[in-house]
C-alpha cells in the first residue's frame, strides 16, 4: 500500500494508546500507570498549546468560546460521536454520549487500559490552551462505566458568544484540524517518550511491545506512515 494512501483513524489512535498503557502497567504496575497519566497530561497540554497558538495567530483572544472553535480533530464519519451542550450559562456544560475511542477499545478488548486516556486529557488540553482554565468532569466517564461523559468548562458561553462560535467554526472549517496520522504520531512521540523517561529500560520495552501489538493489529504500513510526520509540529 502506498504510504500516501495510508490514513490512520480514531481507531488506530485509540488502540495505540491502549497498547502503550497495557504494557507500561503490566511491566511496572502503579509506576507504569502514573507514567501513562503523566504522558497523557503532557500530550493534552501540547494539543491545547497548538490550539492557542492558532487562535492568537488569527487575532483571537483565548476564551472558552475560542477553545471550542479551534478543535484539532473531527470524527471519521457522521454519527461516530454523539455530543452536545447541556447548558451554556452560568457555565458551559457539555456531554459525550457516544465515543469512538470507547468503541475502539471495546472492539479490541482494551477498555481496561484505554480508559486511562480519559482521566485528564480534556482538562490538560484546556489548560494547555490557557493555564488558568479548568475543565471538570461532572459524571463518571463512559470508559469508566458511566452512562455518558459530562464536563463543566468553568465559564459561560453567552448567547452572543454562541453566535460567534458558530461563525468562527464556519470561518475556520477544517483549516486548523490535523489528521489522525498526525495525532497518532504525536501520541506515540509524547506518551512513548514519557514512558521511556519515567520507566527507563522497562519503558523502552513497553513501547516496543506496544508497537509490536499495533503492527500485528493493523499492519506495518500504519506504523511506517507515522514516521513521515514532522515532529517539530508537536
Amino acid at each position: 500500500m502506498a504510504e500516501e494512501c495510508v490514513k490512520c483513524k480514531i481507531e488506530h489512535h485509540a488502540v495505540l494508546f491502549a497498547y502503550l498503557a497495557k504494557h507500561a502497567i503490566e511491566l511496572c504496575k502503579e509506576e507504569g500507570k502514573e507514567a501513562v497519566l503523566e504522558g497523557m497530561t503532557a500530550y493534552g497540554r501540547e494539543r491545547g498549546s497548538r490550539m492557542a497558538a492558532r487562535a492568537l495567530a488569527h487575532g483571537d483572544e483565548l476564551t472558552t468560546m475560542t477553545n471550542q472553535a479551534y478543535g484539532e480533530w473531527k470524527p471519521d464519519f457522521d454519527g461516530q460521536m454523539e455530543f452536545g451542550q447541556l447548558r451554556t450559562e452560568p457555565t458551559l456544560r457539555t456531554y459525550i454520549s457516544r465515543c469512538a475511542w470507547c468503541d475502539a477499545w471495546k472492539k479490541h478488548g482494551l477498555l481496561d487500559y484505554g480508559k486511562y486516556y480519559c482521566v485528564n486529557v480534556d482538562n490538560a488540553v484546556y489548560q494547555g490552551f490557557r493555564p488558568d482554565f479548568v475543565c471538570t468532569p461532572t459524571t463518571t466517564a463512559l470508559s469508566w462505566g458511566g452512562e455518558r461523559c459530562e464536563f463543566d468548562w468553568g465559564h459561560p458561553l453567552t448567547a452572543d458568544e454562541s453566535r460567534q462560535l458558530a461563525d468562527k467554526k464556519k470561518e475556520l472549517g477544517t483549516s486548523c484540524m490535523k489528521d489522525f496520522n498526525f495525532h497518532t504520531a504525536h501520541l506515540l512521540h509524547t506518551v512513548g517518550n514519557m514512558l521511556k523517561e519515567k520507566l527507563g529500560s522497562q519503558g523502552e520495552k513497553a513501547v516496543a511491545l506496544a508497537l509490536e501489538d499495533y503492527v500485528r493489529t493493523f499492519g506495518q504500513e500504519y506504523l511506517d506512515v507515522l514516521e513521515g510526520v514532522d515532529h517539530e509540529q508537536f
Side-chain angles (χ1 to χ4, degrees), residues 54 68-75 169 172-180 182-183:
R54 290 192 196 95
Q68 297 289 307
Y70 279 88
E72 285 196 313
W73 65 273
K74 61 184 180 70
K169 283 185 172 181
L172 293 173
T174 60
S175 64
C176 296
M177 293 184 181
K178 300 287 191 179
D179 65 20
F180 276 92
F182 177 91
H183 289 305

Side-chain angles (χ1 to χ4, degrees), residues 41 80 214 216 225:
T41 295
Q80 188 183 29
Y214 177 82
R216 191 177 302 116
V225 75

Side-chain angles (χ1 to χ4, degrees), residues 70-139:
Y70 279 88
E72 285 196 313
W73 65 273
K74 61 184 180 70
D76 299 318
F77 54 86
D78 290 344
Q80 188 183 29
M81 302 281 294
E82 293 175 2
F83 52 84
Q85 296 177 349
L86 294 168
R87 72 180 195 196
T88 56
E89 298 185 82
T91 55
L92 174 64
R93 285 194 174 184
T94 63
Y95 72 89
I96 301 171
S97 55
R98 180 178 180 186
C99 174
W101 278 263
C102 285
D103 289 345
W105 297 326
K106 289 175 183 176
K107 174 182 175 182
H108 293 273
L110 292 167
L111 185 62
D112 284 346
Y113 300 102
K115 65 184 183 182
Y116 292 103
Y117 183 92
C118 309
V119 171
N120 192 45
V121 65
D122 298 279
N123 183 56
V125 172
Y126 202 37
Q127 293 193 322
F129 188 77
R130 195 171 127 172
D132 60 325
F133 280 0
V134 177
C135 173
T136 306
T138 58
T139 60

Side-chain angles (χ1 to χ4, degrees), residues 2 97 148 177 197 232:
S97 55
R148 66 181 184 182
M177 293 184 181
E197 176 187 334
E232 294 299 318

Side-chain angles (χ1 to χ4, degrees), residues 128-228:
F129 188 77
R130 195 171 127 172
D132 60 325
F133 280 0
V134 177
C135 173
T136 306
T138 58
T139 60
T140 301
L142 277 167
S143 58
W144 287 79
E147 292 186 6
R148 66 181 184 182
C149 302
E150 295 183 8
F151 305 97
D152 190 314
W153 299 87
H155 296 274
L157 193 68
T158 65
D160 186 48
E161 287 174 323
S162 292
R163 288 190 290 270
Q164 291 175 28
L165 176 58
D167 290 344
K168 181 58 67 174
K169 283 185 172 181
K170 185 176 180 180
E171 172 195 332
L172 293 173
T174 60
S175 64
C176 296
M177 293 184 181
K178 300 287 191 179
D179 65 20
F180 276 92
N181 288 354
F182 177 91
H183 289 305
T184 307
H186 178 207
L187 180 83
L188 175 59
H189 176 267
T190 297
V191 178
N193 284 349
M194 186 66 75
L195 297 184
K196 294 173 185 178
E197 176 187 334
K198 296 295 180 181
L199 306 176
S201 61
Q202 291 293 80
E204 297 268 2
K205 183 177 180 181
V207 173
L209 290 170
L211 293 180
E212 287 179 14
D213 283 347
Y214 177 82
V215 168
R216 191 177 302 116
T217 302
F218 297 116
Q220 182 67 40
E221 65 270 23
Y222 283 94
L223 178 58
D224 291 344
V225 75
L226 306 184
E227 296 177 2

